[in-house]
Structure formats: C-alpha cells, structure tokens
Amino acid sequence: MPDIVAPSSGVHLVLPSYFSPKNMGMLDPATTDGRVVFFLPWEGGVVAGTTDTMCSVEADPRPSEKEIEWILSEIRRFLSPDVKIRRGDVLSAWSGIRPLVRDPKAANTKDLVRNHMIHESEAGLITIAGGKWTTYREMSKETVDRAVESFGLKPLRECQTETVRLIGSHAWSDTMFIKLVQNFGVDPDVAKHLSHNYGDRAWAVCALADRTNGSAQHASLEQRIHPRYPFVEAEVRYAVQYEYAMSVVDVIARRLRLAFLDAQAAREALPRVIDIMAKELKWDDARKQREGRKGLEYLTTMGLPDSILDESPAAANAREGFVNMQTTRSLDFVDPASYYRRGQFSAEEIGAILAAFSEFDAHGDGHIEARDIQPLFESIKVPVPDNGFEPFLDAAGIRHSDPGNAVEFEQVFDVLGEIKEATNAKGRKPTSDLNLNQIPTHRSGGSV
C-alpha cells in the first residue's frame, strides 16, 4: 500500500499576555497566502500560529526564522497601529509535525485530508491515520465501530466514551481553588493553576507538599520554580512520583509545559528542577550534568540559540538581577547571553549607552544631534549591520539627513535595541512600518 501519511510542519509562538484579551481570541482563514492564522489566550500567555509546510519527520523539529516572521507579520495586521509585535517579544517558538493523510481510494491521491481517515485494506487491515489529540475519542470510537461492522463482532454494550470522565474531573468544581487557598495557604494564582491543570488531583499535589516538608509546612507550595509563573516545586515531586517523569525534559515540557510558555524561564528553572528530581530519583552528579545538557539541547528546539550549549555558568547567571553599572564602553552584540535579551540590554550595557550619550549631549538637555549618532555608535563599538545604520534610523523616524536634527535618548536606545535584535536574528532587516518609539523590549517581557 502506498504511503498515506504526509507530515506537515506547524510553527507556534507564545507572546506575553497583554497582546490579547483574556477571554477572546482571533482566527483568520484569509491570510496573505491562504493559510489559517490564530491568536488565542493560552495558559497565561498568548499562542499564535500556525504555518503549514510539508516536511520530513524528525524527532526534534525546529521553527525557522522565516516561519516566525510570517506569523508575526500576519498578526500585526489585526492590532492597533500604536501596538507593535516585535521578534523580541516572542517567549517561545516551536514546531510540531501533524500527520496529514492521503486517501488511497480517492481519485486524486495528492489531495490531503486534514482530519482523520479510516482505511480498510483488501486483506482486512483497518488503519486509522491523521487526526489530532483533541479528537482522539471520536477517532477511537469510529475505528472500533468500523471493526464491529467489518468483522461482525458482537459487543456486549454500546460505546462508553461519552460517559467516561477525564482523570481529575470527578470531584472538581470551578471554585475548588478557593478550598486549596483555605486549606493549604497557597497563593490564589497558584491555586487556580493547580485546580485548572490537575482537577481534583490538585489535592494530592498539595498533600504531597505537606508530607514532603514536615515542619516546613507547605514550603514546596510556596517555592515557585520560576518567579513569573505559578509552577511550584511540589509539582515536580508529583510528576516524578505519580506521572512517571524520568527526565528533566519530561517535567519542563511534558508535565509543567513551562518550556512551551517561556523557553528562557525554563532555562532558568533547569538547575532547581534537576536538584529536586535528583533527590527523588537518587541521581549522582554525572546524571545531573547529563540532564542539564539534555535540557539545554531540548530548549534549542523551543527558540533558544545553540550558543546556550557552550555557555558558561557565569554567563547564564548574569541574566538574573542587576550587574555592575560601571561603564565598559564596549557592547558585545553577539555574546551568548545577548540572544536571550534580543533587543534588550543588561544593566552594564545600559550604563555604557547612557555614559556615551551624555558625552555627546553638549547642552545637557537630553538630546544629541543626528550627526553625533554614528560617532556615538563607534564609541561603544556597535557593529555596522550589513545594510548599514540608515534603515534602522529611517524606521525610527530619525531625520539623519539633517545633521542638526535633535535626537532623544529613547530614540537612540530603541535603534540600538533593534540593531541588536537584527544582529542576533541573522541580519533581519527592519520592516518598513516599524515604529520603534514603543515600550522597549527590555521592559516588555521578551524574549527568545
């Protein structure tokens, strides 16, 4: 029988929550090239997608910059003119492979079926192909019904799938999170997260935390694995003891989903997750190192750069908190940590930019002249993009053709951020409608 499955790559992005109303999304079936794009609130963020590209099957597919930019360009059309989605706002980006199918009985076998298909061969082999996770019950029912019909089977009862409840749903209610707050003292957002994701099993997560910590009651319910998200240490222990998690990737991607929500946050949470799992599973130092490496390798498929695999612990830790504000007068636009920041800067880099700007601010009024921009950039060793500085200045609305034109610090800072983002995105040029006078990426929650 000829191949009936045709793999297709679909890329998804996660953006900060403020880009979408909490209870409303958008789907556009008429994009510039005919593909469907959606923009939906999801797990405290906003998920956007998707592409649809024929691909080969691989264990860890990666999104391409071209696909990411296509999704961003499509959703930009639906936002207010004063709201811009930049590449640096992307928190996570991943590619999944969906199994499209060809009906071997169709007149045109090149046509693809985007839902599931049941095929019965001449030899009596029944094959179910295609479909998606959200329709697995319907797929199962139809397949069994076909077998009953084809082979004259005599089932003892009708299909029960419509009455079989999901694990965790039996004692759940939409106000259950209040009881978790009252009984275990957890933060309301953590309680809502546990109730929403575990259903009535949230009681087991909380009880496990209580037993685990003894006199330090509820400590692992109060300790988040990352400060920006409601995932707590007790969930890691629960994943190991009750959900068969055996690797750090199992936890950050397949149990807690943090890697899908924010790849850099997952990167920062890795050491603590590994320590908890090591205690539960009796890992030695060598195993902990291997898990750390595998975790980083996985996160390179979620939008983080390959350079994290060679990053020193010092470089990774430098992203947390503030660093010395002393001016270095040299900005490294391609250091490994800069990939995480994209268009944002470390405190040390901001200090260098401020110090250089003040030297060219002859009147001390917060302005420099357009003629001073290139010397300023040279003084802090900004690399010249392939297409020069002019496109970035044009996109920011800076009249650089007028040497005496006054330029504010925010304009210079935004241009530097866009140059840095483009440098780390392999030379991406600014779009013609780019408005850089928005909230800089370093204050907006990005990025990968």
Side-chain angles (χ1 to χ4, degrees):
M1 186 176 71
D3 291 338
I4 62 173
V5 175
S8 174
S9 170
V11 171
H12 298 71
L13 314 179
V14 172
L15 299 157
S17 61
Y18 48 73
F19 281 116
S20 173
K22 184 176 181 181
N23 297 312
M24 178 169 37
M26 178 202 75
L27 184 144
D28 178 21
T31 59
T32 55
D33 65 359
R35 291 182 287 186
V36 173
V37 69
F38 58 81
F39 193 64
L40 303 168
W42 180 64
E43 293 294 328
V46 177
V47 62
T50 178
T51 58
D52 191 358
T53 308
M54 293 298 103
C55 65
S56 58
V57 177
E58 53 183 317
D60 297 306
R62 300 187 182 200
S64 69
E65 283 294 325
K66 182 179 180 180
E67 292 171 311
I68 292 172
E69 284 297 338
W70 180 82
I71 295 172
L72 292 177
S73 68
E74 291 297 324
I75 59 182
R76 284 184 185 117
R77 299 187 297 124
F78 296 94
L79 299 177
S80 301
D82 60 339
V83 177
K84 302 295 181 182
I85 293 183
R86 302 154 297 178
R87 176 61 178 84
D89 291 316
V90 177
L91 299 174
S92 184
W94 74 89
S95 176
I97 299 177
R98 61 171 67 90
L100 304 184
V101 290
R102 298 184 180 93
D103 186 350
K105 295 182 179 179
N108 185 356
T109 57
K110 292 183 179 180
D111 291 342
L112 297 177
V113 179
R114 295 187 178 274
N115 49 18
H116 64 274
M117 179 196 70
I118 299 174
H119 172 70
E120 185 174 349
S121 70
E122 294 180 359
L125 175 64
I126 295 177
T127 300
I128 173 76
K132 48 191 176 181
W133 292 116
T134 50
T135 61
Y136 76 96
R137 287 201 186 198
E138 180 184 2
M139 293 167 63
S140 300
K141 180 182 184 300
E142 291 183 8
T143 305
V144 173
D145 287 348
R146 171 65 74 86
V148 169
E149 177 185 352
S150 297
F151 303 115
L153 304 178
K154 304 296 182 182
L156 298 178
R157 57 184 180 179
E158 294 295 321
C159 178
Q160 302 294 302
T161 189
E162 291 186 7
T163 60
V164 176
R165 305 187 68 169
L166 294 174
I167 292 176
S169 67
H170 295 80
W172 180 86
S173 70
D174 57 3
T175 58
M176 193 189 83
F177 78 94
I178 298 175
K179 298 178 182 179
L180 298 179
V181 174
Q182 294 173 333
N183 283 273
F184 295 96
V186 298
D187 292 336
D189 63 325
V190 173
K192 289 180 180 179
H193 155 71
L194 294 175
S195 173
H196 175 74
N197 285 275
Y198 294 89
D200 60 29
R201 298 295 177 97
W203 292 101
V205 177
C206 294
L208 174 64
D210 197 10
R211 294 196 308 271
T212 300
N213 289 283
S215 59
Q217 191 175 29
H218 316 315
S220 65
L221 285 174
E222 297 171 357
Q223 294 296 323
R224 306 184 186 215
I225 64 172
H226 193 279
R228 291 200 301 270
Y229 294 92
F231 304 105
V232 292
E233 292 183 359
E235 292 179 81
V236 180
R237 296 188 174 91
Y238 184 84
V240 172
Q241 295 186 26
Y242 293 95
E243 296 181 332
Y244 306 102
M246 297 299 294
S247 70
V248 71
V249 174
D250 282 345
V251 171
I252 64 171
R254 305 181 187 113
R255 304 299 188 276
L256 305 190
R257 311 286 281 179
L258 179 58
F260 286 83
L261 293 171
D262 189 331
Q264 175 55 25
R267 163 73 182 95
E268 293 166 4
L270 273 181
R272 182 57 189 149
V273 173
I274 291 172
D275 284 344
I276 296 171
M277 295 187 72
K279 185 176 181 181
E280 292 289 328
L281 297 170
K282 306 296 188 291
W283 289 346
D284 58 19
D285 289 343
R287 175 63 185 272
K288 290 171 66 175
Q289 290 182 355
R290 291 196 300 272
E291 289 295 325
R293 178 74 180 187
K294 290 178 180 177
L296 293 178
E297 290 173 348
Y298 178 80
L299 291 175
T300 64
T301 72
M302 305 300 290
L304 296 188
D306 289 339
S307 59
I308 65 172
L309 301 177
D310 302 316
E311 183 184 74
S312 67
N317 293 336
R319 292 191 304 281
E320 287 288 284
F322 294 95
V323 298
N324 194 324
M325 285 292 290
Q326 286 186 335
T327 300
T328 62
R329 303 311 308 275
S330 175
L331 299 183
D332 188 350
F333 275 65
V334 290
D335 70 300
S338 73
Y339 282 94
Y340 301 117
R341 296 189 294 268
R342 289 284 175 149
Q344 56 189 320
F345 296 90
S346 68
E348 187 176 22
E349 290 172 325
I350 294 172
I353 298 169
L354 285 167
F357 187 90
S358 64
E359 290 184 11
F360 287 91
D361 182 6
H363 303 289
D365 61 354
H367 296 79
I368 62 173
E369 295 182 346
R371 65 169 59 90
D372 296 324
I373 292 177
Q374 185 149 340
L376 187 157
F377 287 177
E378 291 174 353
S379 74
I380 52 178
K381 301 179 181 179
V382 178
V384 181
D386 292 340
N387 51 340
F389 293 125
E390 288 76 12
F392 297 92
L393 299 176
D394 291 338
I398 297 176
R399 299 195 308 274
H400 54 89
S401 58
D402 178 2
N405 180 47
V407 181
E408 297 180 351
F409 173 77
E410 281 291 331
Q411 291 177 290
V412 172
F413 188 83
D414 286 342
V415 169
L416 286 170
E418 186 65 18
I419 292 173
K420 184 170 187 177
E421 182 173 326
T423 300
N424 289 323
K426 301 179 177 63
R428 179 180 63 79
K429 299 178 181 179
T431 55
S432 58
D433 65 342
L434 183 66
N435 184 348
L436 293 179
N437 296 314
Q438 306 296 325
I439 299 174
T441 307
H442 80 287
R443 296 203 297 266
S444 62
S447 62
V448 300

Short mmCIF file of all heavy atoms in Angstrom, two decimals, residues 14-56:
data_model
loop_
_atom_site.label_atom_id
_atom_site.label_comp_id
_atom_site.label_asym_id
_atom_site.label_seq_id
_atom_site.Cartn_x
_atom_site.Cartn_y
_atom_site.Cartn_z
N VAL A 14 4.59 31.81 21.37
CA VAL A 14 3.92 32.29 22.58
C VAL A 14 4.42 33.71 22.86
O VAL A 14 5.62 33.97 22.83
CB VAL A 14 4.19 31.37 23.79
CG1 VAL A 14 3.65 32.01 25.07
CG2 VAL A 14 3.51 30.03 23.57
N LEU A 15 3.47 34.60 23.12
CA LEU A 15 3.75 36.01 23.36
C LEU A 15 3.22 36.40 24.74
O LEU A 15 2.40 35.68 25.32
CB LEU A 15 3.07 36.86 22.28
CG LEU A 15 3.52 36.60 20.84
CD1 LEU A 15 2.45 37.04 19.86
CD2 LEU A 15 4.84 37.31 20.57
N PRO A 16 3.65 37.54 25.28
CA PRO A 16 3.11 37.98 26.57
C PRO A 16 1.60 38.17 26.53
O PRO A 16 1.01 38.46 25.48
CB PRO A 16 3.83 39.32 26.78
CG PRO A 16 5.11 39.20 26.02
CD PRO A 16 4.75 38.41 24.80
N SER A 17 0.98 38.04 27.69
CA SER A 17 -0.49 38.01 27.78
C SER A 17 -1.15 39.31 27.36
O SER A 17 -2.31 39.32 26.95
CB SER A 17 -0.92 37.66 29.21
OG SER A 17 -0.43 38.65 30.11
N TYR A 18 -0.43 40.43 27.44
CA TYR A 18 -1.08 41.71 27.19
C TYR A 18 -1.41 41.93 25.71
O TYR A 18 -2.05 42.92 25.36
CB TYR A 18 -0.23 42.88 27.70
CG TYR A 18 1.24 42.85 27.31
CD1 TYR A 18 1.64 43.13 26.00
CD2 TYR A 18 2.20 42.57 28.26
CE1 TYR A 18 2.98 43.11 25.66
CE2 TYR A 18 3.54 42.55 27.92
CZ TYR A 18 3.93 42.83 26.62
OH TYR A 18 5.27 42.82 26.28
N PHE A 19 -1.01 41.05 24.84
CA PHE A 19 -1.33 41.21 23.42
C PHE A 19 -2.74 40.74 23.07
O PHE A 19 -3.20 40.95 21.95
CB PHE A 19 -0.33 40.45 22.55
CG PHE A 19 0.98 41.17 22.39
CD1 PHE A 19 2.15 40.62 22.88
CD2 PHE A 19 1.05 42.39 21.74
CE1 PHE A 19 3.36 41.28 22.72
CE2 PHE A 19 2.25 43.06 21.58
CZ PHE A 19 3.41 42.50 22.08
N SER A 20 -3.43 40.09 24.00
CA SER A 20 -4.76 39.57 23.69
C SER A 20 -5.67 39.71 24.90
O SER A 20 -5.22 39.58 26.04
CB SER A 20 -4.67 38.08 23.31
OG SER A 20 -5.95 37.51 23.15
N PRO A 21 -6.96 39.99 24.69
CA PRO A 21 -7.91 39.96 25.80
C PRO A 21 -7.91 38.58 26.46
O PRO A 21 -7.65 37.58 25.81
CB PRO A 21 -9.26 40.26 25.13
CG PRO A 21 -8.91 40.94 23.85
CD PRO A 21 -7.61 40.35 23.41
N LYS A 22 -8.24 38.54 27.73
CA LYS A 22 -8.13 37.31 28.49
C LYS A 22 -9.06 36.22 27.98
O LYS A 22 -8.70 35.04 27.97
CB LYS A 22 -8.43 37.58 29.96
CG LYS A 22 -8.25 36.37 30.87
CD LYS A 22 -8.47 36.74 32.32
CE LYS A 22 -8.27 35.55 33.24
NZ LYS A 22 -8.51 35.89 34.66
N ASN A 23 -10.26 36.58 27.54
CA ASN A 23 -11.26 35.58 27.16
C ASN A 23 -11.70 35.70 25.71
O ASN A 23 -12.81 35.32 25.35
CB ASN A 23 -12.49 35.70 28.08
CG ASN A 23 -12.16 35.41 29.53
OD1 ASN A 23 -11.51 34.42 29.83
ND2 ASN A 23 -12.59 36.29 30.42
N MET A 24 -10.83 36.20 24.87
CA MET A 24 -11.20 36.34 23.47
C MET A 24 -9.97 36.14 22.59
O MET A 24 -8.87 36.59 22.91
CB MET A 24 -11.79 37.73 23.21
CG MET A 24 -12.15 37.96 21.75
SD MET A 24 -13.13 39.47 21.46
CE MET A 24 -12.43 40.61 22.60
N GLY A 25 -10.15 35.42 21.49
CA GLY A 25 -9.07 35.20 20.54
C GLY A 25 -9.51 35.57 19.14
O GLY A 25 -10.57 36.18 18.93
N MET A 26 -8.70 35.20 18.18
CA MET A 26 -8.96 35.55 16.79
C MET A 26 -8.49 34.44 15.88
O MET A 26 -7.46 33.82 16.13
CB MET A 26 -8.23 36.85 16.44
CG MET A 26 -8.39 37.29 14.99
SD MET A 26 -7.05 38.39 14.48
CE MET A 26 -5.69 37.22 14.32
N LEU A 27 -9.25 34.17 14.82
CA LEU A 27 -8.83 33.23 13.79
C LEU A 27 -9.08 33.88 12.45
O LEU A 27 -10.18 34.38 12.19
CB LEU A 27 -9.58 31.91 13.90
CG LEU A 27 -9.13 30.81 12.92
CD1 LEU A 27 -9.22 29.44 13.59
CD2 LEU A 27 -10.00 30.81 11.65
N ASP A 28 -8.07 33.88 11.59
CA ASP A 28 -8.19 34.47 10.27
C ASP A 28 -7.94 33.39 9.21
O ASP A 28 -6.82 32.92 9.06
CB ASP A 28 -7.18 35.61 10.11
CG ASP A 28 -7.23 36.21 8.71
OD1 ASP A 28 -8.26 36.05 8.03
OD2 ASP A 28 -6.23 36.85 8.30
N PRO A 29 -8.99 33.00 8.47
CA PRO A 29 -8.81 31.97 7.43
C PRO A 29 -8.37 32.55 6.09
O PRO A 29 -8.23 31.81 5.12
CB PRO A 29 -10.21 31.37 7.31
CG PRO A 29 -11.11 32.52 7.63
CD PRO A 29 -10.40 33.38 8.64
N ALA A 30 -8.16 33.86 6.03
CA ALA A 30 -7.82 34.50 4.76
C ALA A 30 -6.54 35.31 4.91
O ALA A 30 -6.55 36.54 4.85
CB ALA A 30 -8.96 35.38 4.29
N THR A 31 -5.44 34.62 5.13
CA THR A 31 -4.15 35.29 5.25
C THR A 31 -3.60 35.63 3.87
O THR A 31 -4.21 35.33 2.85
CB THR A 31 -3.15 34.40 6.01
OG1 THR A 31 -2.99 33.16 5.28
CG2 THR A 31 -3.65 34.07 7.40
N THR A 32 -2.43 36.24 3.85
CA THR A 32 -1.86 36.69 2.59
C THR A 32 -1.56 35.56 1.64
O THR A 32 -1.53 35.75 0.42
CB THR A 32 -0.57 37.48 2.85
OG1 THR A 32 0.33 36.68 3.65
CG2 THR A 32 -0.88 38.77 3.61
N ASP A 33 -1.33 34.34 2.16
CA ASP A 33 -1.05 33.21 1.27
C ASP A 33 -2.06 32.07 1.42
O ASP A 33 -1.82 30.96 0.97
CB ASP A 33 0.37 32.69 1.48
CG ASP A 33 0.58 32.10 2.87
OD1 ASP A 33 -0.37 32.11 3.67
OD2 ASP A 33 1.70 31.63 3.15
N GLY A 34 -3.20 32.36 2.08
CA GLY A 34 -4.27 31.37 2.15
C GLY A 34 -4.23 30.43 3.33
O GLY A 34 -5.16 29.65 3.53
N ARG A 35 -3.18 30.50 4.14
CA ARG A 35 -3.14 29.65 5.33
C ARG A 35 -3.94 30.29 6.47
O ARG A 35 -4.24 31.48 6.44
CB ARG A 35 -1.68 29.43 5.77
CG ARG A 35 -0.89 28.58 4.81
CD ARG A 35 0.53 28.33 5.28
NE ARG A 35 1.37 29.53 5.15
CZ ARG A 35 2.68 29.55 5.37
NH1 ARG A 35 3.29 28.43 5.75
NH2 ARG A 35 3.37 30.64 5.21
N VAL A 36 -4.27 29.50 7.46
CA VAL A 36 -5.04 30.00 8.60
C VAL A 36 -4.09 30.46 9.70
O VAL A 36 -3.08 29.80 9.98
CB VAL A 36 -5.97 28.89 9.15
CG1 VAL A 36 -6.65 29.34 10.43
CG2 VAL A 36 -7.00 28.52 8.10
N VAL A 37 -4.41 31.58 10.33
CA VAL A 37 -3.63 32.04 11.47
C VAL A 37 -4.58 32.29 12.64
O VAL A 37 -5.71 32.70 12.46
CB VAL A 37 -2.84 33.34 11.13
CG1 VAL A 37 -3.78 34.52 10.95
CG2 VAL A 37 -1.79 33.64 12.18
N PHE A 38 -4.12 31.93 13.84
CA PHE A 38 -4.93 32.17 15.04
C PHE A 38 -4.09 32.88 16.09
O PHE A 38 -2.86 32.87 16.07
CB PHE A 38 -5.49 30.87 15.61
CG PHE A 38 -4.44 29.84 15.96
CD1 PHE A 38 -3.74 29.91 17.15
CD2 PHE A 38 -4.17 28.80 15.09
CE1 PHE A 38 -2.79 28.96 17.48
CE2 PHE A 38 -3.21 27.84 15.40
CZ PHE A 38 -2.51 27.93 16.60
N PHE A 39 -4.80 33.50 17.04
CA PHE A 39 -4.19 34.35 18.05
C PHE A 39 -5.05 34.21 19.30
O PHE A 39 -6.13 34.79 19.38
CB PHE A 39 -4.19 35.78 17.52
CG PHE A 39 -3.34 36.76 18.26
CD1 PHE A 39 -1.97 36.60 18.32
CD2 PHE A 39 -3.91 37.87 18.87
CE1 PHE A 39 -1.18 37.52 18.98
CE2 PHE A 39 -3.13 38.79 19.53
CZ PHE A 39 -1.75 38.62 19.59
N LEU A 40 -4.62 33.37 20.27
CA LEU A 40 -5.51 32.95 21.34
C LEU A 40 -4.84 33.06 22.71
O LEU A 40 -3.65 32.76 22.86
CB LEU A 40 -5.93 31.49 21.14
CG LEU A 40 -6.62 31.13 19.81
CD1 LEU A 40 -6.69 29.62 19.67
CD2 LEU A 40 -8.00 31.75 19.75
N PRO A 41 -5.59 33.46 23.75
CA PRO A 41 -5.04 33.39 25.11
C PRO A 41 -4.84 31.94 25.51
O PRO A 41 -5.69 31.09 25.24
CB PRO A 41 -6.14 34.06 25.96
CG PRO A 41 -7.39 33.94 25.15
CD PRO A 41 -6.96 33.97 23.72
N TRP A 42 -3.71 31.66 26.14
CA TRP A 42 -3.39 30.26 26.48
C TRP A 42 -2.44 30.22 27.67
O TRP A 42 -1.35 30.77 27.63
CB TRP A 42 -2.75 29.56 25.29
CG TRP A 42 -2.38 28.12 25.54
CD1 TRP A 42 -3.21 27.09 25.80
CD2 TRP A 42 -1.05 27.56 25.54
NE1 TRP A 42 -2.51 25.93 25.97
CE2 TRP A 42 -1.18 26.19 25.82
CE3 TRP A 42 0.23 28.10 25.33
CZ2 TRP A 42 -0.07 25.34 25.92
CZ3 TRP A 42 1.32 27.26 25.42
CH2 TRP A 42 1.17 25.89 25.70
N GLU A 43 -2.86 29.58 28.74
CA GLU A 43 -2.02 29.31 29.91
C GLU A 43 -1.29 30.56 30.42
O GLU A 43 -0.11 30.52 30.76
CB GLU A 43 -1.02 28.22 29.59
CG GLU A 43 -1.64 26.84 29.34
CD GLU A 43 -2.28 26.26 30.59
OE1 GLU A 43 -1.78 26.52 31.69
OE2 GLU A 43 -3.28 25.55 30.45
N GLY A 44 -1.99 31.69 30.45
CA GLY A 44 -1.38 32.91 30.94
C GLY A 44 -0.58 33.68 29.92
O GLY A 44 -0.03 34.74 30.23
N GLY A 45 -0.49 33.17 28.69
CA GLY A 45 0.19 33.89 27.61
C GLY A 45 -0.73 33.97 26.41
O GLY A 45 -1.96 33.85 26.53
N VAL A 46 -0.16 34.19 25.25
CA VAL A 46 -0.91 34.22 24.00
C VAL A 46 -0.19 33.31 23.02
O VAL A 46 1.00 33.48 22.76
CB VAL A 46 -1.00 35.65 23.41
CG1 VAL A 46 -1.73 35.63 22.08
CG2 VAL A 46 -1.69 36.59 24.39
N VAL A 47 -0.92 32.34 22.46
CA VAL A 47 -0.32 31.45 21.47
C VAL A 47 -0.79 31.88 20.09
O VAL A 47 -1.96 32.21 19.89
CB VAL A 47 -0.68 29.97 21.74
CG1 VAL A 47 -2.18 29.73 21.65
CG2 VAL A 47 0.07 29.05 20.80
N ALA A 48 0.14 31.94 19.16
CA ALA A 48 -0.16 32.36 17.79
C ALA A 48 0.41 31.34 16.82
O ALA A 48 1.47 30.75 17.05
CB ALA A 48 0.43 33.74 17.51
N GLY A 49 -0.27 31.09 15.76
CA GLY A 49 0.20 30.17 14.73
C GLY A 49 -0.79 30.18 13.58
O GLY A 49 -1.76 30.95 13.59
N THR A 50 -0.64 29.38 12.62
CA THR A 50 0.41 28.40 12.52
C THR A 50 0.78 28.31 11.06
O THR A 50 0.01 28.72 10.19
CB THR A 50 -0.03 27.02 13.05
OG1 THR A 50 1.00 26.08 12.88
CG2 THR A 50 -1.28 26.54 12.37
N THR A 51 1.94 27.81 10.80
CA THR A 51 2.35 27.56 9.42
C THR A 51 1.89 26.17 9.00
O THR A 51 1.40 25.38 9.81
CB THR A 51 3.88 27.66 9.29
OG1 THR A 51 4.49 26.71 10.19
CG2 THR A 51 4.36 29.05 9.66
N ASP A 52 2.05 25.87 7.75
CA ASP A 52 1.63 24.57 7.22
C ASP A 52 2.56 24.24 6.07
O ASP A 52 2.31 24.61 4.92
CB ASP A 52 0.18 24.64 6.75
CG ASP A 52 -0.40 23.28 6.44
OD1 ASP A 52 0.34 22.28 6.56
OD2 ASP A 52 -1.59 23.20 6.08
N THR A 53 3.65 23.55 6.38
CA THR A 53 4.71 23.33 5.40
C THR A 53 5.07 21.86 5.34
O THR A 53 5.32 21.23 6.38
CB THR A 53 5.98 24.14 5.77
OG1 THR A 53 5.62 25.51 5.99
CG2 THR A 53 7.02 24.05 4.67
N MET A 54 5.08 21.28 4.17
CA MET A 54 5.50 19.90 4.03
C MET A 54 6.92 19.73 4.55
O MET A 54 7.79 20.58 4.32
CB MET A 54 5.44 19.46 2.57
CG MET A 54 4.04 19.39 1.98
SD MET A 54 2.97 18.18 2.80
CE MET A 54 1.95 19.24 3.83
N CYS A 55 7.18 18.65 5.27
CA CYS A 55 8.48 18.48 5.91
C CYS A 55 8.81 17.00 6.01
O CYS A 55 8.00 16.13 5.71
CB CYS A 55 8.47 19.10 7.31
SG CYS A 55 7.34 18.26 8.47
N SER A 56 10.02 16.73 6.43
CA SER A 56 10.42 15.36 6.73
C SER A 56 10.21 15.12 8.22
O SER A 56 10.15 16.06 9.01
CB SER A 56 11.90 15.14 6.36
OG SER A 56 12.72 16.05 7.06
#
